[in-house]
Amino acid sequence: MTTAIPTLPRLPVPDLHKTLRGYLKSLEPFLLEEEARGGPDFKNAYDARLKLVEDFEGGLGQLCQRRLLELDKSSPHNWLDDNIWLKKAYHEWRAPLIVNSNWWLALVDDPNVPGDVRNPSVERTGYTRWQVRRAAWLVHRVLDFKAQLERNKIHPDTTRTGLWFRHAALQFYNTCRIPQHGCDHLSPLPSAADPHARKVLVMAADWMYAMEAVGHDGSPVNPATLERRLRAIVHDVQTRLAKGERAVPVGVLTTDDRDRWAENFHHLLSLSQSNRSIFDTLTSTVFALSLDDYAYTLPPSHRTPDKDLAAHLHNIRSGHGSRPGHNRWYDKPFTLIVEANTRAGVLGEHSPVDALVPSVAADYAIVQGVDDDAFPESVESGLLGAQVDSDTTGWERLDWVTDDRIAQECDHAAIRAKEIVDESDVDELVFTGYGINWIKNEARLSPDAYIQMALQLAWYRTRGEFTATYETALTRLFKHGRTETIRTLSADSRAWVLAMADPQCSNVKRLELLRRALQTHTALTRQAATGRGIDRHLLGLRLMIRADAGESHALFEDELFTRSQSWKLSTSGLSAGYQFRGTGFGALYHDGYGI
């Protein structure tokens, strides 16, 4: 009996008429709100947009749709991912990656780490024994996840979900974003014979090292060997610091405006052939590990219910508050971060893959705590001193050749990074009143839609207005599917929020309106997940307009077209179990939220 190998369908080009009608529907809450605040009459304003839509659909829109269908036919996988998404969503953005684009995950504590290590009675700086052990264990686990994936042992390609996940998960290993003027790109995957493809980039005190971490058969190096090599690297760092040496923090340049970083990047490579070799090594490494010689704490003036949690989130997102951006390479898609007290997390450049996918790898890494049997020697609490048994093989320094210009640019980039970080807070509400089980089983409502409505109400109560709201939907039903937008703000969500704000409205009416809003949101979610969303299609249609041939349309020049996509409330669900203390990404606007 032959078992059919599953395949994933191509992401469809949505129906033009349905997309434009969906777009009109999404404008209703904005137009209703304008009318309620003394602006244009709803019907007149709606009819004006209807006229734009009908004109586009009957003319230039048909031509754009045909061009999009032709593009799809000539694309190996799908029209969006092959041609548009990386460039328009990520690589053409010139804004710094720190806060603005990278995602982060704060991992739960390892229960096998002694309490006096995780919560020392006296704060201290320096690398610790348990920090290095946990780092070695996490590196091994992430590499084991990759090996199991490549061998089809987990998430096998015998299922459609496995097909989608396997392709997606292998995108964040062994690559790096490369800065270029106007539009960045990703480094090509190294060949199987490339020895650097079996290494991990290690950063400590702004110095960089390449550590051999994968065997020739693709299996991860055992945790004890990784620990010895990390100890040796830390010992090398300590020796250099003791001599008064300080690294030029080249990694800080990756936090800068992308065009400025591109300019400095090309200058850096021009200084020495060895810099080109270092960069080739860096891009080929499987992923990165940052060892921080501190456990970050928030200043006393910072108000938050859980200072340890908030400090953890801050450090994973952007590093030490007084010197953000140090000891990181923001262009790497997956960076493990381990602090001196063993707090750990992951930071990732967003373009190769969406955060849910690497979060599964992180979940695999921490679901099993440090295994004492994997290490022949017990480890004590305390700082890591000189190691006479350090492994002198299996790792190498990556020492950049720099000049005064690069050193000065690092200083300036660090100042700009601190300005960005100081303008953006990160915190978390731990709500214990009820959760998904109550919402599903008792209230019998959709948890995702329920929480989205809560966010709509919270925004309105604190701002007194409504805003365009983005929620991510994964298009994982399709080959190389990425994401689509769910426009959470709808006429129905607005009606419910206003009912909650009206003291004369009964709870019976409020519940009725809530159910209607939830049904609308669930329908929008289903459409987005099944390739029938509107925003990626609108983007594709707009890009098919040939401005150089004099083509344009007022539909895309309407201020409401822009305002309806100004996501001051940007949200993304990341449900990967109990292994994360917190997750996050930055707000798109200074007066917005990334949730």
Side-chain angles (χ1 to χ4, degrees):
M1 180 178 176
T2 303
T3 303
I5 299 174
T7 59
L8 290 175
R10 293 172 68 91
L11 181 73
V13 176
D15 179 81
L16 178 63
H17 178 75
K18 289 180 179 178
T19 289
L20 294 174
R21 292 294 152 169
Y23 168 67
L24 276 174
K25 187 72 176 173
S26 76
L27 299 184
E28 290 182 4
F30 297 96
L31 299 176
L32 288 167
E33 191 63 14
E34 285 181 357
E35 180 184 56
R37 293 175 182 269
D41 172 74
F42 172 83
K43 186 178 186 308
N44 291 337
Y46 182 88
D47 287 346
R49 270 67 187 201
L50 176 61
K51 185 178 179 180
L52 289 177
V53 162
E54 290 178 340
D55 182 76
F56 179 72
E57 184 179 0
L60 183 58
Q62 295 290 338
L63 181 58
C64 292
Q65 181 77 347
R66 285 199 300 272
R67 289 171 180 167
L68 207 53
L69 289 167
E70 290 169 4
L71 180 67
D72 183 47
K73 287 180 182 177
S74 64
S75 302
H77 305 298
N78 70 62
W79 61 273
L80 181 65
D81 193 52
D82 293 338
N83 308 282
I84 295 172
W85 190 239
L86 275 181
K87 286 183 180 179
K88 295 301 177 182
Y90 299 106
H91 289 170
E92 288 184 358
W93 273 39
R94 301 292 85 194
L97 298 185
I98 187 171
V99 174
N100 295 312
S101 181
N102 281 33
W103 51 263
W104 59 89
L105 311 169
L107 309 183
V108 296
D109 294 335
D110 191 321
N112 297 329
V113 175
D116 65 329
V117 174
R118 177 60 181 82
N119 300 293
S121 57
V122 179
E123 288 185 20
R124 58 194 175 199
T125 58
Y127 302 99
T128 66
R129 297 183 180 94
W130 266 104
Q131 173 190 20
V132 171
R133 175 152 293 190
R134 190 179 192 202
W137 179 251
L138 289 173
V139 167
H140 176 81
R141 292 284 295 174
V142 173
L143 292 172
D144 186 58
F145 178 84
K146 180 175 183 284
Q148 299 291 339
L149 201 63
E150 290 173 333
R151 293 166 184 168
N152 229 18
K153 296 290 184 66
I154 55 176
H155 304 285
D157 57 13
T158 53
T159 67
R160 289 184 174 180
T161 301
L163 268 177
W164 175 84
F165 182 82
R166 228 169 143 261
H167 165 77
L170 293 174
Q171 301 309 302
F172 66 83
Y173 292 111
N174 297 105
T175 191
C176 187
R177 182 164 169 170
I178 298 178
Q180 297 292 325
H181 284 282
C183 182
D184 297 347
H185 64 88
L186 290 172
S187 63
L189 293 177
S191 69
D194 186 345
H196 303 310
R198 300 195 301 273
K199 298 175 181 177
V200 166
L201 173 68
V202 179
M203 292 172 280
D206 285 316
W207 276 299
M208 297 184 189
Y209 300 81
M211 178 180 70
E212 294 176 14
V214 180
H216 290 278
D217 65 348
S219 299
V221 170
N222 68 74
T225 300
L226 292 174
E227 182 183 44
R228 285 198 305 273
R229 290 174 180 170
L230 288 175
R231 283 183 176 184
I233 289 171
V234 169
H235 179 53
D236 188 68
V237 169
Q238 292 171 326
T239 301
R240 298 168 88 172
L241 291 172
K243 292 178 180 178
E245 297 178 32
R246 294 295 182 271
V248 176
V250 174
V252 174
L253 297 176
T254 66
T255 69
D256 221 342
D257 169 89
R258 300 306 295 177
D259 282 339
R260 185 149 189 166
W261 168 214
E263 184 178 336
N264 286 321
F265 167 69
H266 291 298
H267 177 70
L268 183 67
L269 294 194
S270 73
L271 294 177
S272 169
Q273 183 59 41
S274 68
N275 283 355
R276 292 183 179 273
S277 298
I278 287 171
F279 188 71
D280 288 344
T281 300
L282 183 155
T283 59
S284 296
T285 53
V286 190
F287 59 86
L289 166 68
S290 289
L291 295 174
D292 291 338
D293 62 349
Y294 59 84
Y296 179 57
T297 57
L298 291 168
S301 59
H302 193 104
R303 297 178 61 187
T304 179
D306 188 337
K307 282 203 169 186
D308 181 83
L309 174 57
H312 190 182
L313 294 170
H314 275 79
N315 192 60
I316 302 304
R317 177 197 68 168
S318 48
H320 197 288
S322 64
R323 50 184 189 279
H326 282 255
N327 210 42
R328 307 284 189 270
W329 196 269
Y330 276 80
D331 292 355
K332 281 298 270 187
F334 193 97
T335 299
L336 269 172
I337 299 165
V338 184
E339 297 179 65
N341 66 348
T342 73
R343 275 194 320 212
V346 184
L347 173 74
E349 197 280 306
H350 215 146
S351 68
V353 71
D354 299 291
L356 174 67
V357 176
S359 79
V360 176
D363 184 83
Y364 181 93
I366 54 177
V367 72
Q368 182 180 342
V370 173
D371 183 358
D372 289 339
D373 293 338
F375 300 90
E377 300 174 358
S378 61
V379 63
E380 298 178 358
S381 302
L383 295 173
L384 192 66
Q387 300 295 317
V388 294
D389 61 339
S390 290
D391 196 333
T392 57
T393 62
W395 59 275
E396 62 179 316
R397 289 181 178 182
L398 301 178
D399 287 341
W400 298 97
V401 175
T402 61
D403 61 4
D404 290 343
R405 171 181 165 177
I406 289 296
Q408 189 175 59
E409 286 294 322
C410 289
D411 291 340
H412 293 163
I415 292 170
R416 287 188 287 272
K418 191 171 190 312
E419 290 173 351
I420 292 171
V421 169
D422 288 347
E423 281 294 306
S424 177
D425 199 8
V426 55
D427 211 333
E428 179 175 333
L429 169 67
V430 180
F431 181 74
T432 59
Y434 57 86
I436 283 177
N437 287 339
W438 181 86
I439 299 171
K440 282 197 305 187
N441 301 330
E442 300 297 325
R444 299 188 180 281
L445 301 171
S446 161
D448 173 71
Y450 183 97
I451 292 170
Q452 287 293 329
M453 292 308 113
L455 296 176
Q456 288 295 302
L457 181 58
W459 177 277
Y460 185 80
R461 283 179 171 173
T462 55
R463 302 297 181 93
E465 61 182 11
F466 294 91
T467 189
T469 305
Y470 178 104
E471 184 186 6
T472 302
L474 286 175
T475 51
R476 57 186 170 189
L477 296 177
F478 304 99
K479 186 177 183 181
H480 294 195
R482 289 288 299 255
T483 63
E484 177 59 274
T485 304
I486 306 166
R487 294 194 175 199
T488 299
L489 176 63
S490 66
D492 290 328
S493 70
R494 176 181 176 272
W496 172 71
V497 167
L498 292 177
M500 293 297 291
D502 180 6
Q504 303 303 316
C505 187
S506 69
N507 280 341
V508 171
K509 183 64 176 178
R510 288 169 174 170
L511 180 58
E512 176 190 331
L513 292 172
L514 174 61
R515 291 188 187 280
R516 186 182 304 163
L518 296 178
Q519 288 171 355
T520 297
H521 187 82
T522 300
L524 291 171
T525 301
R526 189 180 303 112
Q527 290 169 16
T530 54
R532 295 175 292 134
I534 66 171
D535 280 281
R536 304 296 181 263
H537 190 200
L538 289 171
L539 172 64
L541 292 168
R542 183 167 58 84
L543 293 176
M544 293 302 103
I545 294 176
R546 296 173 180 170
D548 56 350
E551 294 178 357
S552 65
H553 200 278
L555 171 67
F556 301 109
E557 296 162 5
D558 179 16
E559 67 84 22
L560 191 52
F561 181 84
T562 301
R563 182 151 53 94
S564 68
Q565 295 180 330
S566 298
W567 319 113
K568 291 190 177 183
L569 188 53
S570 182
T571 75
S572 181
L574 194 61
S575 303
Y578 299 96
Q579 306 307 323
F580 304 138
R581 298 185 80 201
T583 65
F585 59 94
L588 296 174
Y589 296 86
H590 287 296
D591 57 345
Y593 297 97
I595 297 181

